[in-house]
Every structure is written in structure tokens, then in C-alpha cells.
Amino acid sequence: MSSSSPIILILGAGHNIGQSNTAEQIYIPSDFTAPNSITNAFAKVKAPFGIPSVVVYNVGAATANPPNDPLSLSIGFAELPSSASKTFIYTGNILNTTITPAYGSGFYYADERKKDGAPAYGDIDGDAHAKLYVGLAEGKTQGPWQQTFVKGVGYKAFPVA
């Protein structure tokens, strides 16, 4: 059965961002550390509702690490001797500066900030995310891929650090 309403699939729909984005919900327990879990989530949505036209990847786990040692808790760099390199490399190729949408689709990286540009961290606002997501999903052209935004303001470009 196909729905006449737009379908959003929020991977990692928690109590804040995920629940602020939809009125009608189904819960699909998923372990996103398993590669087939995303494919399974799509299949479980497609069968009763149709193919999602918007996908939000909201999967994450946060551990507060000391600002001067951001990888200390997650991978044990603190246990290494001072002579060790302690280097973490994230491969993104050009994806840290540009996104090339495929098949006429939009691609965005949503990043809520405070008015001064500081990260929102634990003060993220689900309703502000929902408003941004609806605007992006209903937009007819690709906007800036890095959607830094402020609650009550919307998109706002901040200088890159």
C-alpha cells in the first residue's frame, strides 16, 4: 500500500529530534552497527507505506570527552604512552567541503548552533530540527549542503573554523 502523504524515515528517531518530526509513527527496533539494519528499516517502511521520500540519519551516541582530549574515552588514547602518535584520521575525501547530490536528490548535513555559532550540544531542539527538515524536504533546489541553523532563526552560515 502506498501513502499519498510524504514519508520520512528517521534512522535513530529518539525522544527529541525524531519525535518532533512526525505525527504518525511506527517504531522499528534497529541496531545500526549491523550493516543490514538500514536496508531492513527501509523494507519495513516500504511494505506498509511506500518508499520514503525523505531520510534523516540521526543515529548517534554521545560521550562527553574532555575538550583537550576528545578521543580519550572512546578509543583509549589516554592509555598510550606520551611517545605514541595518538592520531585519528577520518576519511571523507571531498565530502568535508562539498556534497554532490545524485539522481536529483538533495543532501544536507544539519548542525544546530547557538546564536553565537557555538555548538548546541545538549540544548538541541527537536522542533527546530523539524522545521528545518520540512523546509529542506519541500525545497525545489539544493541549498547549501551544510545546514548550520539556529532555533528561531533557521539557516545561518557561520565561519568555518
Side-chain angles (χ1 to χ4, degrees):
M1 166 198 276
S2 183
S3 172
S4 60
S5 298
I7 300 165
I8 183 171
L9 172 58
I10 303 173
L11 302 168
H15 71 281
N16 194 351
I17 296 171
Q19 290 188 4
S20 292
N21 276 282
T22 58
E24 204 176 312
Q25 302 176 14
I26 62 168
Y27 177 70
I28 303 168
S30 301
D31 174 4
F32 293 113
T33 62
N36 65 345
S37 62
I38 292 176
T39 304
N40 291 341
F42 269 87
K44 289 178 182 176
V45 169
K46 181 180 175 184
F49 301 108
I51 299 171
S53 60
V54 177
V55 177
V56 176
Y57 188 81
N58 187 50
V59 177
T63 302
N65 293 347
N68 63 341
D69 195 5
L71 299 174
S72 63
L73 299 177
S74 58
I75 60 175
F77 275 1
E79 298 171 30
L80 294 171
S82 61
S83 60
S85 173
K86 300 180 187 179
T87 303
F88 185 92
I89 299 171
Y90 182 89
T91 300
N93 297 318
I94 193 132
L95 296 180
N96 67 321
T97 58
T98 187
I99 296 297
T100 306
Y103 311 108
S105 60
F107 183 94
Y108 298 98
Y109 179 88
D111 178 5
E112 184 176 357
R113 304 285 185 94
K114 294 181 180 179
K115 289 181 181 179
D116 65 358
Y121 290 126
D123 294 328
I124 61 170
D125 185 271
D127 291 337
H129 279 78
K131 186 174 181 179
L132 177 77
Y133 295 169
V134 168
L136 295 173
E138 292 178 347
K140 301 298 180 201
T141 60
Q142 172 75 38
W145 73 269
Q146 189 169 4
Q147 288 286 312
T148 47
F149 69 101
V150 175
K151 176 184 175 180
V153 174
Y155 172 76
K156 182 174 180 182
F158 290 102
V160 177

